[in-house]
Amino acid sequence: YFQPTLCSLAVPSLPDIVIKAITDCPYDTWSCLFENVFLSGSEAQYPGMGDRLQLEIQNQITCGVKVTVMHNPHLATWVAGSVLATLPDFGGTMLSREDYSEGK
């Protein structure tokens, strides 16, 4: 796997990025988000990548939630969108067609 430190790059690891993204969200959504981490794109193709990401995130968090990483690159975007739509705060984050058109 890519190790940025070998190239003298000081960048956070993928597990660190995922954990920061989740913990920047409202606390009451953490459980749902940690239980539904979706890995998509080219990195999802690496053998064992999803299992490794799941293990590394699970070992770093202390909130007692079971981490689940799904890494079916063909369905990940659709499944992630459907999970996001079920979150309690999702309705307040949507834009209407009118609001979207106003920004153009």
Side-chain angles (χ1 to χ4, degrees):
Y1 297 111
F2 178 64
Q3 296 177 355
T5 54
L6 294 177
C7 300
S8 300
L9 296 175
V11 295
S13 67
L14 183 57
D16 291 339
I17 293 169
V18 171
I19 291 168
K20 175 151 178 31
I22 291 174
T23 57
D24 282 351
C25 294
Y27 180 76
D28 61 333
T29 63
W30 287 12
S31 177
C32 183
L33 294 173
F34 276 121
E35 292 171 357
N36 294 284
V37 176
F38 293 90
L39 183 62
S40 65
S42 59
E43 62 274 347
Q45 304 294 324
Y46 294 121
M49 184 65 170
D51 296 332
R52 178 177 172 181
L53 180 62
Q54 181 172 319
L55 180 65
E56 290 188 15
I57 293 172
Q58 189 70 64
N59 288 339
Q60 289 186 43
I61 64 168
T62 59
C63 60
V65 174
K66 183 180 184 304
V67 175
T68 304
V69 174
M70 297 175 205
H71 49 94
N72 182 335
H74 306 290
L75 297 176
T77 304
W78 183 86
V79 174
S82 66
V83 169
L84 180 64
T86 65
L87 294 175
D89 295 336
F90 181 68
T93 63
M94 295 187 309
L95 290 176
S96 68
R97 181 180 297 270
E98 293 79 26
D99 290 338
Y100 178 78
S101 297
E102 234 177 64
K104 288 185 174 182

